[in-house]
Amino acid sequence: MEKRRILLIGTGGTIASEMGDSGLEPELTSRQLLRYVPDISGICKVDCVQLFSLDSTNIRPEHWLRIAKTIQECYGKYDGFVVSHGTDTMAYTAAGLSYLIQNSMKPIVLTGAQKPIGYDTTDSKQNLRDAFTVASSDMFGVMLVFNGKIIIGTRARKTHSKSFEAFSSINYPIVGMVQDGRIIQYIRPERSAPVRFYEALDPKVALLKLVPGIDCKVSEYLLEQSSALIIESFGVGGLPVYETGSFYEPIKRGLAAGKTVVLTTQVENEGSDLSVYHVGNSIKQNLPILEAYDMITEAVVAKLMWILSITTERAKVAELFYTPVACDILYAFS
Ligand code: ASP
């Protein structure tokens, strides 16, 4: 059988880093990365493109747009795509690409590494091999492949800052594993072609993590500066009411000014349920806020950027927010 054609898109990250005067910096191009894993030519035929060389700390939504645009322009020419990327914000980019490229019947695989490819001990080579194995398979959609795990793009989170087991799939099972070059697929998401590309994002999305005793006025400032505010509250969700003030008034003013407010939880697993406690239910019953349920914060951030580039009309925003894209939300309908 003819080998599949894969485009490797380089963006930087530790995988491509070398030691500089003040720490690791991305230096290697995608073509140079590939030279470290010559056996990939046994899996597929690869072309390379280098979009930028950034520590992913510096990657912004405009870079997600450039990656998506490159994939769109080359979509007809390749069977799959591998994006090599820094691990720190890879989960956000995976979520961003999941909204910018919907219903892809071809695999779009993000990978990277915790140790540079030139180090004696590195996860770079295995992650690249696994990513190309998945990109050359019949799997489809945006996925993150790391340390053998295949994670849906809207469900990935960096959960370890140093170990090779860097990513977890949150509130959704991993879709498969790559073991010794073979894919073991546990879940087959439904096919829903044709592919649809989007070309805009509204990056003005802010995130506020509550701490006990927080000054409620910070929400006022963030709402003034943004189109949408996500509040990571405690437990299944709720907003504090202190004698010194509450979030109710600033949120009400923000909503009246056309802003979007989403409540979620800072607890990693199982999501929000505002209906359980008075502190959550009272706000949900009285104000037109949205609730993340099992959607992870990385996905909420990217989904709002996508939605708000299409509409700011409250009912339409809510409808799009609660419409599942790439398995990003399940609980709201259970
Ligand atoms: N700081 C690096 C980055 O995100 C970390 C990594 O790639 O593992 O670009």
Side-chain angles (χ1 to χ4, degrees):
M1 203 175 76
E2 177 99 25
K3 285 203 188 98
R4 299 207 171 166
R5 292 184 67 101
I6 310 297
L7 182 65
L8 172 61
I9 302 173
T11 71
T14 292
I15 189 167
S17 285
E18 293 187 326
M19 191 54 81
D21 293 342
S22 57
L24 289 169
E25 281 184 88
E27 301 282 356
L28 303 177
T29 64
S30 46
R31 186 163 303 284
Q32 288 171 312
L33 280 183
L34 212 54
R35 284 200 202 114
Y36 283 88
V37 267
D39 45 312
I40 282 176
S41 63
I43 306 173
C44 53
K45 284 194 208 153
V46 187
D47 285 335
C48 297
V49 59
Q50 187 68 28
L51 286 188
F52 33 84
S53 290
L54 291 173
D55 189 298
S56 75
T57 301
N58 290 324
I59 286 188
R60 302 186 294 269
E62 63 194 66
H63 299 103
W64 309 346
L65 288 167
R66 282 183 60 192
I67 299 169
K69 187 87 193 143
T70 304
I71 294 173
Q72 181 176 12
E73 283 166 2
C74 302
Y75 199 74
K77 204 170 151 208
Y78 294 96
D79 301 305
F81 299 85
V82 172
V83 181
S84 71
H85 194 289
T87 60
D88 292 346
T89 65
M90 196 193 295
Y92 285 95
T93 302
L97 293 180
S98 303
Y99 297 106
L100 290 171
I101 311 170
Q102 295 185 26
N103 304 332
S104 172
M105 292 312 298
K106 299 185 180 184
I108 297 166
V109 181
L110 290 102
T111 198
Q114 294 280 56
K115 295 285 177 215
I117 202 158
Y119 281 20
D120 289 342
T121 306
T122 177
D123 48 342
S124 301
K125 295 174 193 171
Q126 197 53 48
N127 286 344
L128 275 177
R129 279 188 202 104
D130 291 347
F132 278 100
T133 301
V134 175
S136 307
S137 76
D138 291 333
M139 293 184 82
F140 52 87
V142 178
M143 293 164 279
L144 191 150
V145 171
F146 211 95
N147 203 36
K149 286 183 190 166
I150 309 169
I151 302 172
I152 290 245
T154 56
R155 294 293 184 172
R157 170 167 297 164
K158 187 169 180 182
T159 49
H160 292 87
S161 59
K162 296 177 184 171
S163 25
F164 288 174
E165 181 73 1
F167 286 89
S168 302
S169 185
I170 306 294
N171 297 338
Y172 199 84
I174 57 171
V175 285
M177 298 284 299
V178 189
Q179 279 171 353
D180 301 326
R182 284 173 170 238
I183 296 173
I184 302 155
Q185 193 174 346
Y186 305 137
I187 296 177
R188 286 179 200 278
E190 274 170 36
R191 293 177 172 261
S192 53
V195 65
R196 176 140 189 216
F197 291 91
Y198 291 84
E199 297 182 21
L201 293 166
D202 175 358
K204 288 190 162 237
V205 173
L207 172 64
L208 173 62
K209 180 172 182 165
L210 297 188
V211 294
I214 189 167
D215 183 342
C216 302
K217 286 200 285 296
V218 293
S219 63
E220 184 128 43
Y221 174 78
L222 290 172
L223 276 162
E224 270 166 26
Q225 301 298 315
S226 327
S227 310
L229 175 63
I230 304 159
I231 302 177
E232 273 192 352
S233 59
F234 309 113
V236 285
L239 287 176
V241 180
Y242 303 130
E243 307 78 56
T244 47
S246 91
F247 282 94
Y248 195 87
E249 284 307 322
I251 288 179
K252 198 172 161 191
R253 279 194 291 278
L255 290 165
K259 310 294 172 93
T260 299
V261 176
V262 179
L263 236 70
T264 187
T265 174
Q266 50 190 261
V267 180
E268 185 142 281
N269 293 292
E270 300 177 352
S272 70
D273 186 351
L274 292 174
S275 67
V276 178
Y277 295 101
H278 174 76
V279 286
N281 211 14
S282 56
I283 193 118
K284 185 135 186 219
Q285 292 303 318
N286 291 307
L287 293 177
I289 56 156
L290 302 172
E291 173 170 3
Y293 295 106
D294 62 308
M295 217 186 308
I296 68 170
T297 297
E298 291 84 339
V300 174
V301 168
K303 194 170 196 176
L304 289 174
M305 290 181 182
W306 166 64
I307 294 172
L308 294 171
S309 75
I310 299 169
T311 181
T312 52
E313 197 194 311
R314 190 172 313 289
K316 190 79 184 133
V317 171
E319 187 193 321
L320 285 171
F321 188 77
Y322 290 127
T323 302
V325 175
C327 310
D328 62 351
I329 185 166
L330 301 172
Y331 183 86
F333 312 96
S334 61

